[in-house]
Amino acid sequence: LDKVASKHCDVVPVVVQDSRSGAVLICAYANEAALEATFKQRVACLWSTSRNELWVKGATSGDTLDLDDVFINCEQNSLVYKVTPRRKGACHTKDQYGNTRVSCYYRRVAPTASGSLQL
Amino acid sequence: LDKVASKHCDVVPVVVQDSRSGAVLICAYANEAALEATFKQRVACLWSTSRNELWVKGATSGDTLDLDDVFINCEQNSLVYKVTPRRKGACHTKDQYGNTRVSCYYRRVAPTASGSLQL
């Protein structure tokens, strides 16, 4: 198991939640630079762990998430960003009608009769 | 930056959310064993990255989180557990009245006038 999970790293998980609906939109990572950018720009900023760079959510897609509030957990190793989506979506995928999905968590996970997992 | 964040690991972040209130209660980690235990026991099970063992939430404290649903994100690298707390709390900390806190995210983060962060 790994260092993010064991708290010995530069990034922490960020739960991004719609302030109005309460929907969990995305879960990503932030470091100090991302959190500072979030407060300065008043939009959700994250740290892209694949590109290893600041990720201003919506900079490319337009699906900016306006910042309402930031909360930290008891152990100070994860964050919740409360946001208001500027447009309708937060996910980079589209639904069957070609609309950007509101949340990345659009798929239910359920076990099959045999006990294995089915997506 | 680290392997959980880069998706090359055995655990994924799990956002645990109250089905009724929508409150984010905790953010922790799960692996395949934890997810299977979650479905079998119908309570939120996680993987303790500090103890490196299965963590049946509430096994010690009594603050069990009954499972309602599991969702996975677009990129299949994080989960949301929708739960109903069996008692009142989910956090291991207590409030000023000695009651277990409902959620781990009880502290707002705000930047100071100088731009530094204040918890």
Side-chain angles (χ1 to χ4, degrees):
Chain A
L1 294 172
D2 150 303
K3 294 181 184 175
V4 162
S6 304
K7 313 176 202 173
H8 302 298
C9 71
D10 294 332
V11 294
V12 293
V14 180
V15 180
V16 183
Q17 184 179 32
D18 188 307
S19 298
R20 291 172 296 188
S21 70
V24 175
L25 304 178
I26 57 176
C27 180
Y29 299 89
N31 57 8
E32 194 173 348
L35 185 56
E36 285 188 7
T38 295
F39 280 120
K40 279 190 187 163
Q41 301 187 34
R42 301 300 301 175
V43 299
C45 298
L46 302 154
W47 190 260
S48 169
T49 56
S50 55
R51 299 192 305 272
N52 202 28
E53 65 181 19
L54 183 69
W55 168 26
V56 183
K57 180 77 179 77
T60 304
S61 65
D63 288 324
T64 303
L65 303 173
D66 288 318
L67 186 72
D68 296 316
D69 247 327
V70 176
F71 291 86
I72 194 163
N73 71 327
C74 48
E75 296 185 341
Q76 305 202 51
N77 54 13
S78 67
L79 297 168
V80 169
Y81 288 178
K82 294 270 200 176
V83 301
T84 300
R86 199 172 291 178
R87 300 202 303 187
K88 290 182 181 176
C91 186
H92 71 288
T93 69
K94 294 183 189 302
D95 66 16
Q96 57 183 325
Y97 306 107
N99 299 317
T100 298
R101 289 195 171 92
V102 170
S103 160
C104 295
Y105 299 91
Y106 57 90
R107 285 177 296 185
R108 175 176 282 115
V109 182
T112 63
S114 68
S116 64
L117 298 177
Q118 186 174 32
L119 299 183
Chain B
L1 293 172
D2 145 305
K3 294 180 183 175
V4 162
S6 305
K7 312 176 202 175
H8 303 299
C9 72
D10 295 331
V11 294
V12 293
V14 180
V15 180
V16 182
Q17 185 180 30
D18 188 307
S19 298
R20 291 173 296 189
S21 70
V24 175
L25 305 179
I26 57 176
C27 181
Y29 298 89
N31 57 7
E32 195 173 347
L35 185 56
E36 285 188 6
T38 295
F39 280 121
K40 279 190 186 163
Q41 301 187 32
R42 301 300 302 175
V43 300
C45 298
L46 302 154
W47 190 260
S48 168
T49 56
S50 55
R51 298 190 306 271
N52 202 28
E53 66 180 19
L54 183 68
W55 168 27
V56 183
K57 180 78 178 74
T60 305
S61 65
D63 288 324
T64 303
L65 303 173
D66 288 318
L67 186 72
D68 295 317
D69 247 326
V70 176
F71 291 87
I72 194 164
N73 71 326
C74 49
E75 297 185 340
Q76 305 201 49
N77 56 13
S78 67
L79 297 168
V80 169
Y81 288 178
K82 294 270 200 176
V83 300
T84 300
R86 199 172 291 178
R87 300 202 301 188
K88 292 183 180 174
C91 186
H92 71 287
T93 68
K94 295 183 188 302
D95 66 15
Q96 57 183 324
Y97 306 107
N99 298 316
T100 298
R101 288 196 171 91
V102 170
S103 160
C104 294
Y105 300 91
Y106 57 89
R107 285 178 295 186
R108 175 177 281 117
V109 183
T112 62
S114 67
S116 64
L117 298 176
Q118 186 174 32
L119 301 182

XYZ file of all heavy atoms in Angstrom, chain B residues 30-99:
549
model
N -10.220 1.733 0.141
C -10.684 0.349 0.043
C -9.850 -0.382 -0.994
O -9.343 0.214 -1.947
C -12.153 0.296 -0.355
N -9.724 -1.669 -0.775
C -9.170 -2.558 -1.794
C -10.251 -3.599 -2.113
O -11.396 -3.484 -1.653
C -7.867 -3.193 -1.316
C -8.052 -3.953 -0.017
O -9.171 -4.106 0.454
N -6.946 -4.395 0.552
N -9.905 -4.599 -2.886
C -10.905 -5.586 -3.283
C -11.495 -6.311 -2.071
O -12.714 -6.535 -1.993
C -10.264 -6.597 -4.252
C -11.289 -7.422 -4.994
C -10.642 -8.292 -6.073
O -9.452 -8.063 -6.398
O -11.335 -9.180 -6.587
N -10.646 -6.645 -1.120
C -11.125 -7.347 0.079
C -12.135 -6.497 0.849
O -13.159 -6.995 1.329
C -9.938 -7.707 0.977
N -11.843 -5.211 0.953
C -12.744 -4.322 1.692
C -14.081 -4.170 0.968
O -15.148 -4.161 1.594
C -12.086 -2.959 1.879
N -14.011 -4.083 -0.355
C -15.254 -3.937 -1.118
C -16.098 -5.199 -1.025
O -17.320 -5.142 -0.854
C -14.922 -3.598 -2.573
C -16.101 -3.286 -3.482
C -16.957 -2.146 -2.925
C -15.615 -2.928 -4.889
N -15.460 -6.335 -1.099
C -16.201 -7.598 -0.964
C -16.833 -7.725 0.417
O -17.991 -8.136 0.548
C -15.267 -8.786 -1.229
C -14.968 -8.959 -2.711
C -14.215 -10.246 -3.011
O -14.030 -11.056 -2.089
O -13.819 -10.415 -4.170
N -16.081 -7.353 1.438
C -16.629 -7.407 2.803
C -17.800 -6.447 2.954
O -18.781 -6.740 3.642
C -15.526 -7.070 3.813
N -17.699 -5.302 2.284
C -18.782 -4.314 2.330
C -20.078 -4.903 1.791
O -21.140 -4.762 2.395
C -18.375 -3.068 1.513
O -17.258 -2.459 2.155
C -19.515 -2.069 1.400
N -19.986 -5.581 0.661
C -21.187 -6.173 0.071
C -21.705 -7.353 0.895
O -22.906 -7.534 1.047
C -20.918 -6.608 -1.367
C -20.971 -5.479 -2.349
C -19.873 -5.160 -3.132
C -22.128 -4.730 -2.501
C -19.927 -4.114 -4.048
C -22.190 -3.676 -3.408
C -21.082 -3.374 -4.182
N -20.785 -8.147 1.402
C -21.215 -9.318 2.176
C -21.875 -8.920 3.493
O -22.895 -9.460 3.880
C -20.010 -10.227 2.475
C -19.647 -11.121 1.300
C -18.616 -12.176 1.692
C -18.168 -12.941 0.449
N -16.917 -13.687 0.659
N -21.254 -7.963 4.171
C -21.742 -7.602 5.508
C -22.773 -6.484 5.458
O -23.420 -6.192 6.472
C -20.568 -7.200 6.395
C -19.523 -8.306 6.545
C -18.445 -7.953 7.559
O -18.693 -7.259 8.526
N -17.232 -8.435 7.335
N -22.895 -5.847 4.302
C -23.833 -4.724 4.121
C -23.548 -3.575 5.080
O -24.464 -2.850 5.508
C -25.293 -5.181 4.249
C -25.710 -6.254 3.248
C -25.592 -5.847 1.801
N -26.369 -4.674 1.451
C -26.325 -4.089 0.249
N -25.517 -4.566 -0.706
N -27.047 -3.034 -0.008
N -22.280 -3.423 5.443
C -21.835 -2.255 6.200
C -20.549 -1.746 5.547
O -19.856 -2.501 4.857
C -21.569 -2.563 7.694
C -22.834 -3.069 8.383
C -20.435 -3.568 7.849
N -20.241 -0.487 5.764
C -19.049 0.107 5.166
C -17.794 -0.547 5.730
O -17.536 -0.469 6.934
C -19.018 1.608 5.429
N -17.040 -1.209 4.855
C -15.750 -1.782 5.229
C -14.674 -1.083 4.410
O -14.857 -0.816 3.223
C -15.716 -3.282 4.950
S -16.919 -4.216 5.903
N -13.554 -0.810 5.060
C -12.468 -0.071 4.420
C -11.175 -0.842 4.630
O -11.170 -1.896 5.275
C -12.409 1.327 5.048
C -13.739 2.086 4.883
C -13.945 3.116 5.960
C -13.822 2.717 3.500
N -10.108 -0.309 4.054
C -8.816 -0.923 4.277
C -7.966 0.060 5.051
O -7.705 1.168 4.583
C -8.129 -1.284 2.960
C -6.907 -2.132 3.187
C -5.612 -1.699 3.182
C -6.876 -3.531 3.489
N -4.774 -2.753 3.460
C -5.523 -3.892 3.655
C -7.853 -4.514 3.644
C -5.128 -5.198 3.954
C -7.458 -5.811 3.944
C -6.105 -6.135 4.093
N -7.589 -0.331 6.262
C -6.759 0.547 7.068
C -5.346 0.534 6.517
O -4.661 -0.493 6.571
C -6.759 0.094 8.531
O -5.737 0.806 9.219
N -4.924 1.677 5.977
C -3.590 1.749 5.386
C -2.519 1.896 6.459
O -1.355 1.625 6.201
C -3.505 2.923 4.402
O -3.860 4.121 5.095
C -4.439 2.703 3.226
N -2.917 2.310 7.661
C -1.929 2.405 8.742
C -1.712 1.038 9.390
O -0.593 0.659 9.692
C -2.364 3.440 9.788
O -3.655 3.148 10.273
N -2.798 0.292 9.561
C -2.656 -1.037 10.177
C -2.520 -2.127 9.126
O -2.240 -3.281 9.443
C -3.862 -1.331 11.069
C -4.031 -0.356 12.230
C -5.088 -0.848 13.222
N -6.360 -1.133 12.583
C -7.336 -0.260 12.397
N -7.182 0.987 12.807
N -8.457 -0.601 11.794
N -2.758 -1.754 7.857
C -2.695 -2.703 6.743
C -3.602 -3.914 6.980
O -3.181 -5.067 6.850
C -1.242 -3.151 6.505
C -1.041 -3.682 5.092
O -1.743 -3.275 4.161
N -0.109 -4.597 4.925
N -4.831 -3.594 7.322
C -5.797 -4.672 7.576
C -7.215 -4.195 7.285
O -7.477 -2.989 7.202
C -5.690 -5.171 9.022
C -6.099 -4.132 10.054
C -5.981 -4.635 11.494
O -5.260 -5.616 11.716
O -6.620 -4.026 12.370
N -8.107 -5.156 7.150
C -9.513 -4.836 6.920
C -10.055 -4.046 8.105
O -9.805 -4.396 9.254
C -10.313 -6.132 6.738
C -11.803 -5.951 6.421
C -11.994 -5.353 5.027
C -12.543 -7.280 6.531
N -10.827 -3.013 7.788
C -11.367 -2.132 8.818
C -12.881 -2.100 8.647
O -13.376 -1.433 7.746
C -10.734 -0.743 8.663
C -11.365 0.362 9.445
C -12.063 0.282 10.614
C -11.333 1.766 9.111
N -12.467 1.530 11.019
C -12.036 2.453 10.128
C -10.771 2.494 8.067
C -12.200 3.838 10.095
C -10.930 3.871 8.037
C -11.629 4.529 9.047
N -13.534 -2.860 9.509
C -14.993 -2.849 9.484
C -15.438 -1.653 10.322
O -15.372 -1.686 11.543
C -15.588 -4.158 10.047
C -17.113 -4.140 9.941
C -15.011 -5.360 9.309
N -15.868 -0.614 9.620
C -16.169 0.654 10.315
C -17.199 0.417 11.421
O -18.276 -0.114 11.161
C -16.710 1.657 9.295
C -17.064 3.007 9.884
C -15.845 3.861 10.138
C -16.253 5.230 10.695
N -16.678 5.164 12.108
N -16.840 0.820 12.630
C -17.759 0.686 13.752
C -17.572 -0.589 14.546
O -18.233 -0.778 15.571
N -16.682 -1.468 14.104
C -16.487 -2.741 14.815
C -16.067 -2.491 16.256
O -16.473 -3.208 17.169
C -15.459 -3.604 14.097
N -15.254 -1.473 16.449
C -14.796 -1.140 17.798
C -15.701 -0.098 18.460
O -16.143 -0.253 19.590
C -13.354 -0.579 17.750
O -12.526 -1.535 17.087
C -12.820 -0.307 19.142
N -16.006 0.946 17.709
C -16.727 2.092 18.281
C -18.230 1.882 18.369
O -18.917 2.522 19.158
C -16.471 3.332 17.416
O -17.037 3.150 16.116
N -18.748 1.005 17.532
C -20.199 0.862 17.442
C -20.824 1.757 16.397
O -22.007 1.625 16.075
N -20.027 2.675 15.858
C -20.558 3.595 14.845
C -20.544 2.953 13.459
O -19.884 3.417 12.526
C -19.771 4.911 14.850
C -20.081 5.746 16.085
O -21.247 5.725 16.534
O -19.171 6.406 16.586
N -21.305 1.893 13.342
C -21.423 1.153 12.088
C -22.190 1.973 11.061
O -23.120 2.698 11.401
C -22.175 -0.168 12.364
O -21.467 -0.873 13.371
C -22.283 -1.015 11.111
N -21.777 1.842 9.803
C -22.449 2.545 8.711
C -23.108 1.509 7.808
O -22.434 0.804 7.058
C -21.425 3.382 7.933
C -20.640 4.401 8.782
C -19.547 5.054 7.967
C -21.574 5.454 9.383
N -24.416 1.416 7.880
C -25.141 0.426 7.076
C -25.106 0.811 5.603
O -25.384 1.955 5.236
C -26.581 0.311 7.571
C -26.662 -0.384 8.915
O -25.943 -1.386 9.109
O -27.438 0.068 9.784
N -24.800 -0.176 4.778
C -24.617 0.099 3.351
C -25.942 0.233 2.613
O -26.829 -0.611 2.734
C -23.820 -1.039 2.700
C -23.438 -0.777 1.240
C -22.349 0.271 1.157
C -23.008 -2.058 0.545
N -26.065 1.281 1.834
C -27.224 1.435 0.951
C -26.837 1.183 -0.499
O -27.554 0.513 -1.227
C -27.821 2.838 1.116
C -28.383 3.050 2.510
O -29.052 2.139 3.021
O -28.120 4.115 3.105
N -25.698 1.739 -0.921
C -25.328 1.656 -2.329
C -23.847 1.945 -2.500
O -23.245 2.589 -1.644
C -26.096 2.730 -3.128
C -27.100 2.108 -4.080
O -26.827 1.013 -4.615
O -28.149 2.724 -4.296
N -23.312 1.465 -3.616
C -21.919 1.770 -3.962
C -21.889 2.299 -5.391
O -22.517 1.723 -6.284
C -21.030 0.518 -3.855
C -19.598 0.827 -4.312
C -21.011 -0.023 -2.430
N -21.171 3.382 -5.599
C -20.989 3.940 -6.936
C -19.492 4.047 -7.236
O -18.680 4.229 -6.332
C -21.645 5.319 -7.044
C -23.142 5.253 -6.995
C -23.815 5.268 -5.780
C -23.890 5.151 -8.162
C -25.200 5.176 -5.726
C -25.278 5.066 -8.118
C -25.937 5.074 -6.901
N -19.180 3.939 -8.525
C -17.782 4.060 -8.955
C -17.683 5.196 -9.964
O -18.639 5.477 -10.697
C -17.274 2.720 -9.539
C -15.748 2.722 -9.669
C -17.937 2.414 -10.894
C -15.158 1.326 -9.852
N -16.539 5.823 -9.997
C -16.408 6.997 -10.880
C -16.057 6.593 -12.313
O -15.744 5.430 -12.599
C -15.367 7.970 -10.317
C -13.955 7.451 -10.434
O -13.724 6.262 -10.331
N -13.014 8.344 -10.644
N -16.094 7.554 -13.178
C -15.846 7.356 -14.607
C -14.558 6.593 -14.868
O -14.517 5.684 -15.695
C -15.800 8.703 -15.320
S -14.731 9.924 -14.501
N -13.517 6.961 -14.161
C -12.198 6.367 -14.419
C -11.930 5.124 -13.581
O -10.830 4.568 -13.626
C -11.110 7.421 -14.178
C -11.247 8.586 -15.147
C -10.128 9.597 -15.029
O -9.458 9.634 -13.997
O -9.942 10.355 -16.003
N -12.925 4.723 -12.809
C -12.833 3.524 -11.981
C -11.622 3.538 -11.051
O -10.907 2.544 -10.911
C -12.818 2.256 -12.859
C -14.026 2.218 -13.793
C -14.348 0.830 -14.281
O -14.426 -0.113 -13.515
N -14.550 0.685 -15.585
N -11.419 4.668 -10.426
C -10.337 4.736 -9.448
C -10.770 5.396 -8.138
O -9.918 5.839 -7.350
C -9.098 5.422 -10.045
C -9.409 6.805 -10.595
O -10.477 7.349 -10.324
N -8.502 7.367 -11.367
N -12.055 5.450 -7.915
C -12.563 5.871 -6.603
C -14.001 5.393 -6.453
O -14.657 5.061 -7.440
C -12.472 7.393 -6.431
O -13.343 8.068 -7.308
N -14.449 5.351 -5.214
C -15.795 4.836 -4.911
C -16.548 5.819 -4.030
O -15.945 6.606 -3.289
C -15.693 3.505 -4.150
C -15.034 2.326 -4.875
C -14.756 1.201 -3.885
C -15.918 1.830 -6.015
N -17.868 5.736 -4.113
C -18.732 6.380 -3.123
C -19.562 5.290 -2.456
O -20.209 4.502 -3.150
C -19.675 7.428 -3.763
C -20.735 7.881 -2.758
C -18.890 8.638 -4.257
N -19.472 5.226 -1.136
C -20.381 4.362 -0.375
C -21.518 5.248 0.132
O -21.267 6.223 0.847
C -19.698 3.781 0.874
C -18.661 2.709 0.689
C -18.000 2.210 1.815
C -18.333 2.166 -0.551
C -17.034 1.215 1.703
C -17.369 1.170 -0.663
C -16.718 0.699 0.468
O -15.754 -0.284 0.366
N -22.742 4.905 -0.238
C -23.896 5.589 0.359
C -24.323 4.775 1.566
O -24.551 3.555 1.432
C -25.042 5.652 -0.648
C -24.753 6.517 -1.856
C -25.193 7.933 -1.596
C -25.362 8.662 -2.936
N -25.889 10.018 -2.694
N -24.419 5.413 2.702
C -24.655 4.684 3.946
C -25.706 5.366 4.826
O -26.002 6.550 4.657
C -23.351 4.560 4.768
C -22.266 3.820 3.985
C -22.871 5.932 5.242
N -26.209 4.583 5.762
C -27.058 5.119 6.826
C -26.380 4.800 8.152
O -26.233 3.626 8.498
C -28.457 4.483 6.792
O -29.057 4.761 5.524
C -29.342 5.048 7.895
N -25.932 5.838 8.860
C -25.266 5.593 10.139
C -26.221 4.898 11.116
O -27.374 5.308 11.259
C -24.907 6.997 10.636
C -24.846 7.831 9.388
C -25.919 7.264 8.497
N -25.727 3.839 11.761
C -26.585 3.080 12.679
C -26.802 3.863 13.974
O -27.842 3.773 14.594
C -25.928 1.728 12.983
C -26.907 0.725 13.533
C -26.286 -0.653 13.642
N -26.014 -1.260 12.340
C -25.430 -2.451 12.200
N -25.059 -3.134 13.273
N -25.196 -2.950 10.998
N -25.766 4.641 14.349
C -25.934 5.541 15.496
C -25.823 6.967 14.966
O -26.193 7.220 13.827
C -24.882 5.237 16.562
C -25.019 3.780 17.052
C -24.414 3.566 18.415
N -23.001 3.899 18.455
C -22.205 3.655 19.496
N -22.698 3.053 20.570
N -20.928 3.990 19.469
N -25.339 7.871 15.785
C -25.361 9.277 15.347
C -24.079 9.747 14.681
O -24.066 10.752 13.986
C -25.683 10.187 16.534
C -27.119 10.010 17.028
C -27.431 10.974 18.166
C -28.876 10.764 18.637
N -29.176 11.574 19.826
N -22.970 9.048 14.939
C -21.697 9.591 14.490
C -20.954 8.711 13.522
O -21.262 7.522 13.365
N -19.955 9.300 12.875
C -19.068 8.540 11.996
C -17.608 8.835 12.330
O -16.735 8.029 12.063
C -19.342 8.873 10.541
N -17.350 9.995 12.914
C -15.979 10.415 13.222
C -15.561 9.823 14.571
O -16.398 9.523 15.416
C -15.925 11.944 13.270
S -14.267 12.625 13.478
N -14.250 9.673 14.745
C -13.771 9.143 16.021
C -13.556 10.262 17.041
O -13.220 9.992 18.198
C -12.482 8.344 15.831
C -11.289 9.187 15.506
N -11.112 9.789 14.282
C -10.230 9.552 16.253
C -9.987 10.468 14.298
N -9.437 10.348 15.467
N -13.761 11.518 16.609
C -13.612 12.631 17.553
C -14.966 13.003 18.143
O -16.015 12.644 17.611
C -13.001 13.868 16.873
O -13.945 14.397 15.922
C -11.700 13.528 16.165
N -14.911 13.740 19.228
C -16.143 14.157 19.905
C -16.254 15.676 19.928
O -15.248 16.373 19.894
C -16.150 13.618 21.339
C -16.206 12.087 21.397
C -16.275 11.577 22.818
C -16.129 10.069 22.877
N -17.118 9.327 22.105
N -17.479 16.149 19.945
C -17.686 17.593 19.970
C -17.596 18.116 21.402
O -17.303 17.364 22.344
C -19.016 17.963 19.305
C -20.220 17.442 20.085
O -20.068 17.053 21.275
O -21.319 17.424 19.502
N -17.850 19.389 21.582
C -17.684 20.018 22.898
C -18.645 19.453 23.946
O -18.448 19.638 25.144
C -17.884 21.536 22.764
C -19.244 21.908 22.174
C -19.400 23.403 21.970
O -18.912 24.196 22.774
N -20.066 23.805 20.896
N -19.673 18.782 23.494
C -20.628 18.195 24.437
C -20.325 16.715 24.690
O -21.090 16.018 25.345
C -22.056 18.355 23.908
C -22.390 19.788 23.576
C -22.501 20.213 22.249
C -22.556 20.724 24.595
C -22.775 21.528 21.942
C -22.833 22.051 24.302
C -22.943 22.453 22.978
O -23.200 23.760 22.683
N -19.216 16.231 24.107
C -18.828 14.843 24.321
C -19.520 13.867 23.389
O -19.414 12.656 23.563
N -20.233 14.386 22.401
C -20.900 13.517 21.436
C -19.998 13.240 20.235
O -19.269 14.130 19.785
C -22.191 14.176 20.931
C -23.171 14.411 22.064
O -23.375 13.546 22.916
N -23.755 15.600 22.098
